[in-house]
Amino acid sequence: MFDVLNPSKIFTWIEKLIKFINSIFFILLLVALTFALIVSPPDYLQGDSVRIMYIHVPSSWIGLASFTCIALISVLIFIFKMKNLILIAKSIAPIGLVFTCLSIITGSIWGKPTWGTWWAWDARIVSMVVLGIFYILFILSNKFIEPESKATKISCIIAIFGFINIPIIKYSVEWWNTLHQPASIKIDGTSSIHSSMLMPLVFMLLVFLLYCALIFLMKYKTEIIRIKKKNLKRI
Amino acid sequence: MLTKKVKKRVSFLTIFLALTVLGVFSILKTLDRNLLYFKSPSDVKADQNISYTKKLRIGGMVKKDSLKIDSEDIEFVITDYKNEIFVSFKGTVPNLFLEGKGVVAEGILNDKGFFIADRILAKHDENYMPPELKDIIKDVK
């Protein structure tokens, strides 16, 4: 059914894509960092610590988006038994975990000068940590549970269960009083970030997404090689 | 494609999801007020059995022209534009602690209108803009 996902055929494509992304990634990163660190203005209140936002916000988005992808893939695996897809979910998970951690760490670095504390038992922050825990559970269950079919099943359930946390993270700042500020960029497209700051933010998001794609492809390649080495026929 | 087995798995997943959503929802509903990071002055006023010995956090806006800083104390009024609480505090405040901006104070309630804080956190709003623009907006106002 999904011929594109056939590991042996996709192999050469991955190689090409990795080379392509590698060729443009560092240039784009330099441009985006120039915008984020030098060209963009400081904030009227926070001053230069606003620049942390250019890393914090895209990482949080990627953390949330990755888990949503994993959950959707898990539903497909669970219902239609498309076992090839677990390789994709497995390759996304570490990226999501790294960016979730990055989001929490940068948030806490930003929180010290602005809020006056590193950490608060605030609904948004705690639910974000819970997301990180779900990532870890997903990765560990894939690594340590034997046999593999059982690992796939359990990790899928974990992902689907963990997905409930995503809307909680998103709406935590609206449902409850939190120290964390509400979203600056709304789903309907309005934004309370000035355009001179929005531009570097979008640019950084783009660079982060490219980086994710790069890591994903490399990881996916290794997963395929691992399967081939095991010489499993079913894949 | 929709064989019997697939249908079975779909229904399992639907029930599983419905139950977990229900479960999580009821947990959140039970925790309800405890999930709030801080109480607003109106919450404090409405709460009949609020504790005067336990630490709690109240939050809102620092009322304009209410901030008084002298060598020992920082005094200000937290408002949610309906009710107000007078706050007294000794210590250092974060950079973003300003009049007309959000604040969360941690400490002990003396009575319903007086709060002794031992920690002040600044709450940042969702607006980001360059300093020049801020001046322009101020001029217009």
Side-chain angles (χ1 to χ4, degrees):
Chain A
M1 193 173 91
F2 280 88
D3 199 36
V4 198
L5 297 174
N6 183 343
S8 42
K9 275 184 191 165
I10 208 171
F11 211 81
T12 43
W13 277 103
I14 291 179
E15 289 285 329
K16 274 183 195 164
L17 261 175
I18 289 179
K19 269 197 188 129
F20 174 70
I21 295 176
N22 258 331
S23 63
I24 59 168
F25 176 71
F26 287 100
I27 302 164
L28 279 176
L29 178 70
L30 273 180
V31 175
L33 278 180
T34 320
F35 270 106
L37 296 180
I38 300 165
V39 178
S40 76
D43 185 64
Y44 75 107
L45 262 184
Q46 307 162 46
D48 280 324
S49 62
V50 70
R51 297 181 202 286
I52 296 172
M53 173 190 75
Y54 302 131
I55 293 173
H56 176 74
V57 174
S59 341
S60 322
W61 283 344
I62 290 170
L64 294 184
S66 305
F67 203 87
T68 312
C69 286
I70 293 176
L72 287 179
I73 290 171
S74 297
V75 170
L76 288 181
I77 296 170
F78 192 80
I79 292 176
F80 300 113
K81 298 284 163 196
M82 297 194 275
K83 294 241 169 69
N84 291 4
L85 288 180
I86 192 66
L87 295 186
I88 296 183
K90 268 183 179 171
S91 318
I92 296 175
I95 302 170
L97 178 62
V98 165
F99 278 102
T100 306
C101 293
L102 197 63
S103 153
I104 295 168
I105 293 166
T106 51
S108 123
I109 294 172
W110 179 85
K112 186 64 190 167
T114 15
W115 294 339
T117 178
W118 298 100
W119 170 264
W121 290 101
D122 162 288
R124 169 61 72 85
I125 304 173
V126 173
S127 57
M128 206 63 194
V129 172
V130 170
L131 177 69
I133 293 172
F134 271 112
Y135 271 122
I136 294 170
L137 282 178
F138 182 85
I139 294 169
L140 287 184
S141 63
N142 265 317
K143 272 224 157 76
F144 292 116
I145 295 175
E146 299 278 349
E148 218 168 308
S149 57
K150 204 174 156 196
T152 306
K153 214 176 221 169
I154 291 176
S155 60
C156 284
I157 295 279
I158 290 173
I160 295 166
F161 181 69
F163 180 70
I164 299 169
N165 191 28
I166 301 289
I168 295 180
I169 297 177
K170 173 80 186 86
Y171 293 105
S172 55
V173 286
E174 287 165 35
W175 291 341
W176 305 295
N177 297 341
T178 54
L179 189 59
H180 194 287
Q181 60 268 38
S184 296
I185 299 167
K186 310 251 162 41
I187 292 174
D188 61 22
T190 55
S191 137
S192 53
I193 298 184
H194 189 256
S195 54
S196 61
M197 294 171 165
L198 193 59
M199 221 262 291
L201 181 63
V202 173
F203 224 132
M204 282 303 277
L205 176 68
L206 199 84
V207 170
F208 275 29
L209 283 175
L210 266 184
Y211 177 76
C212 288
L214 187 66
I215 300 295
F216 168 74
L217 289 171
M218 286 155 96
K219 176 91 172 129
Y220 191 47
K221 203 173 93 183
T222 14
E223 291 286 344
I224 295 173
I225 292 171
R226 190 179 292 157
I227 290 287
K228 277 191 173 164
K229 262 194 171 170
K230 275 190 187 167
N231 207 10
L232 292 179
K233 286 282 187 290
R234 69 174 171 83
I235 195 86
Chain B
M1 204 155 104
L2 284 172
T3 59
K4 216 173 177 184
K5 269 188 174 170
V6 171
K7 272 184 188 158
K8 211 170 121 190
R9 289 196 288 261
V10 171
S11 51
F12 170 77
L13 209 61
T14 326
I15 295 169
F16 172 76
L17 264 183
L19 283 179
T20 40
V21 168
L22 208 73
V24 170
F25 179 77
S26 49
I27 291 173
L28 292 181
K29 206 74 199 154
T30 321
L31 288 172
D32 194 29
R33 307 306 289 172
N34 293 319
L35 282 174
L36 301 183
Y37 188 67
F38 56 84
K39 290 174 190 291
S40 70
S42 299
D43 290 336
V44 171
K45 201 179 179 192
D47 196 345
Q48 290 303 321
N49 36 22
I50 197 162
S51 164
Y52 292 102
T53 45
K54 254 200 209 150
K55 254 191 192 174
L56 52 95
R57 279 185 289 256
I58 54 171
M61 295 294 175
V62 180
K63 197 183 174 190
K64 286 225 161 94
D65 305 322
S66 75
L67 184 61
K68 259 183 251 144
I69 302 175
D70 55 41
S71 55
E72 285 183 356
D73 274 348
I74 296 174
E75 287 171 346
F76 59 97
V77 174
I78 290 186
T79 173
D80 59 358
Y81 304 118
K82 286 183 211 100
N83 292 291
E84 294 176 348
I85 290 180
F86 189 85
V87 179
S88 158
F89 173 67
K90 281 187 178 66
T92 50
V93 291
N95 295 335
L96 261 70
F97 174 75
L98 290 168
E99 279 186 356
K101 294 286 166 197
V103 69
V104 176
E106 200 175 276
I108 290 164
L109 200 65
N110 219 0
D111 66 56
K112 289 220 162 163
F114 191 76
F115 188 81
I116 298 170
D118 51 28
R119 197 154 82 124
I120 296 284
L121 301 176
K123 191 168 152 35
H124 183 254
D125 61 16
E126 71 271 33
N127 297 309
Y128 295 82
M129 53 185 149
E132 308 89 51
L133 201 81
K134 173 71 183 166
D135 296 336
I136 295 168
I137 291 176
K138 228 185 222 163
D139 290 344
V140 171
K141 270 181 185 170

